Amino acid sequence: MKVVVDRDIPFIQGILEPFAEVEYIAGRSFTKEVVCDADALVVRTRTRCNSDLLEGSRVQFIATATIGFDHIDIDYCRRHNIAIATSAGCNARGVLQWVSAALALLAKRDGFIPQQRTLGIVGVGNVGRLIKEYAEAWGFRTVCSDPPREEREHLGFVSLEEVLQQADIVTLHTPLNDTTRHLINSENIALLHSGATLINASRGECVATEATRRNDLTYITDVWENEPNIEGDYLAKSIVATPHIAGYSAQGKANATALAVQALAQHFNLPLLGWRPIEVEAVMPRSISWEEMCSTIEEYCNLENESNTLRNNPEHFESLRSNYHYRGEYF
């Protein structure tokens, strides 16, 4: 059996070798020639798994060490009996803590307390649920939009337009698909009141770059349309600007790799179903007060320093992302 693995997936080297021939390459270097004789791929978002890559190969399984799967042509894989596994939920607490750091920075800049702000959450899945839970405990009023969940569960969520009209801060946590591409666009961004904040830690294409022409809004941005070739004006406007690393906690990365390995083990009947990286200590989730979070979060997630690094070196986006020092989770 042969497995081709993205070389930037942490903790995985040496794990599959007892059971397979393993080749490690850069995510953007996966080609038809490289994967033609592979039985399985372990990828990240930088590898486009579509007919251009997979046609004529013997690939029967793809594990992505990411929560999203917009880089995988699901219909093609279904037609060709290629099984897919994602690492959904793996980095939810990492993103929670990145968003928490952004809220703390914003509160310090503008001098508000949570009770004075309405937080709009667009996409209430693994990440959005956590942000809702912590934000409400801190005193934010929350207003949420998630049409698929609302249709299934009747939770009292509202439309995107209502969120944009009501919220002082809007944070996006949707997958990328045909419905969410340019979810925030030049038309509906006009619903945000002057001085509102837009946070994007979902997918870059969920916000149309042209929509960010508004100069009376605050932008907090981790993901960018057309990354790594990010647009300079949007970068300059974003008071937080990071290179797609909101979920890059050590625990989140360990979770992602573990889920990918376990899924591959289950598919090929390998004795790795309980495997988890020993290099990373799991952290017990806990509640935390707004005051404690604000006073400690910079030790774990210093967004000002990280933003300055990207602004000074936007051409190094991929390198900054690939060589990022994974943060430790602490709540």
Side-chain angles (χ1 to χ4, degrees):
M1 182 174 79
K2 180 178 177 180
V3 184
V4 182
V5 179
D6 185 318
R7 70 184 184 192
D8 290 318
I9 294 174
F11 315 121
I12 197 171
Q13 292 202 20
I15 303 305
L16 300 174
E17 278 78 351
F19 316 102
E21 175 191 350
V22 185
E23 182 175 356
Y24 298 93
I25 62 173
R28 290 188 181 276
S29 297
F30 280 63
T31 64
K32 180 175 289 190
E33 292 71 28
V34 168
V35 310
C36 66
D37 60 345
D39 300 284
L41 310 178
V42 186
V43 302
R44 300 183 306 143
T45 55
R46 290 300 185 249
T47 301
R48 310 300 300 184
C49 298
N50 52 26
S51 60
D52 291 341
L53 179 69
L54 299 169
E55 190 67 39
S57 76
R58 71 182 194 210
V59 172
Q60 59 174 282
F61 181 81
I62 300 171
T64 181
T66 62
I67 61 172
F69 49 86
D70 47 278
H71 53 297
I72 300 174
D73 186 332
I74 302 296
D75 291 336
Y76 177 89
C77 291
R78 185 180 295 117
R79 291 196 307 271
H80 291 81
N81 297 314
I82 300 172
I84 299 167
T86 75
S87 297
C90 64
N91 63 356
R93 287 193 172 269
V95 180
L96 165 69
Q97 290 178 30
W98 185 93
V99 172
S100 299
L103 292 174
L105 186 153
L106 200 60
K108 181 179 179 181
R109 186 194 75 163
D110 295 345
F112 68 76
I113 59 174
Q115 290 77 5
Q116 296 170 327
R117 293 293 186 271
T118 295
L119 179 66
I121 303 168
V122 180
V124 196
N126 290 306
V127 175
R129 291 175 203 246
L130 280 178
I131 292 172
K132 183 176 187 293
E133 174 189 335
Y134 278 80
E136 289 177 350
W138 292 332
F140 287 94
R141 172 180 175 257
T142 65
V143 56
C144 301
S145 179
D146 190 318
R149 280 198 68 198
E150 180 61 23
E151 184 176 351
R152 292 192 308 266
E153 303 172 53
H154 308 292
L155 299 166
F157 294 163
V158 300
S159 67
L160 171 64
E161 289 73 21
E162 289 177 86
V163 169
L164 296 176
Q165 289 171 332
Q166 294 185 41
D168 304 298
I169 306 164
V170 174
T171 186
L172 306 179
H173 301 287
T174 64
L176 178 62
N177 53 42
D178 290 342
T179 301
T180 62
R181 189 177 301 275
H182 290 182
L183 186 69
I184 304 298
N185 51 57
S186 296
E187 289 72 39
N188 62 23
I189 202 170
L191 298 173
L192 287 169
H193 68 72
S194 182
T197 297
L198 179 64
I199 302 173
N200 190 11
S202 57
R203 284 289 185 267
E205 291 83 358
C206 291
V207 175
T209 300
E210 64 180 20
T212 65
R213 298 288 182 256
R214 275 192 67 175
N215 292 320
D216 59 338
L217 301 177
T218 294
Y219 301 100
I220 292 177
T221 312
D222 178 61
V223 290
W224 313 77
E225 193 169 28
N226 302 318
E227 61 182 55
N229 304 307
I230 59 180
E231 200 268 335
D233 185 56
Y234 188 14
L235 173 63
K237 284 179 181 177
S238 295
I239 67 163
V240 169
T242 54
H244 200 151
I245 49 76
Y248 274 29
S249 68
Q251 289 76 15
K253 284 296 180 182
N255 292 340
T257 303
L259 288 168
V261 168
Q262 291 168 18
L264 187 145
Q266 183 172 26
H267 186 85
F268 290 101
N269 196 29
L270 304 178
L272 291 169
L273 287 177
W275 178 82
R276 182 176 176 79
I278 60 173
E279 298 93 332
V280 177
E281 182 180 357
V283 173
M284 184 66 67
R286 66 180 179 95
S287 60
I288 186 171
S289 70
W290 172 254
E291 292 75 18
E292 181 188 353
M293 186 278 290
C294 288
S295 67
T296 56
I297 193 68
E298 282 190 12
E299 300 171 33
Y300 297 85
C301 187
N302 191 317
L303 294 183
E304 290 186 278
N305 288 348
E306 293 181 9
S307 298
N308 288 335
T309 299
L310 180 59
R311 283 197 198 92
N312 292 333
N313 306 277
E315 72 281 7
H316 295 155
F317 187 101
E318 286 288 71
S319 175
L320 292 171
R321 188 180 188 218
S322 295
N323 298 306
Y324 186 77
H325 179 70
Y326 302 133
R327 310 182 304 272
E329 296 176 11
Y330 72 111
F331 65 86

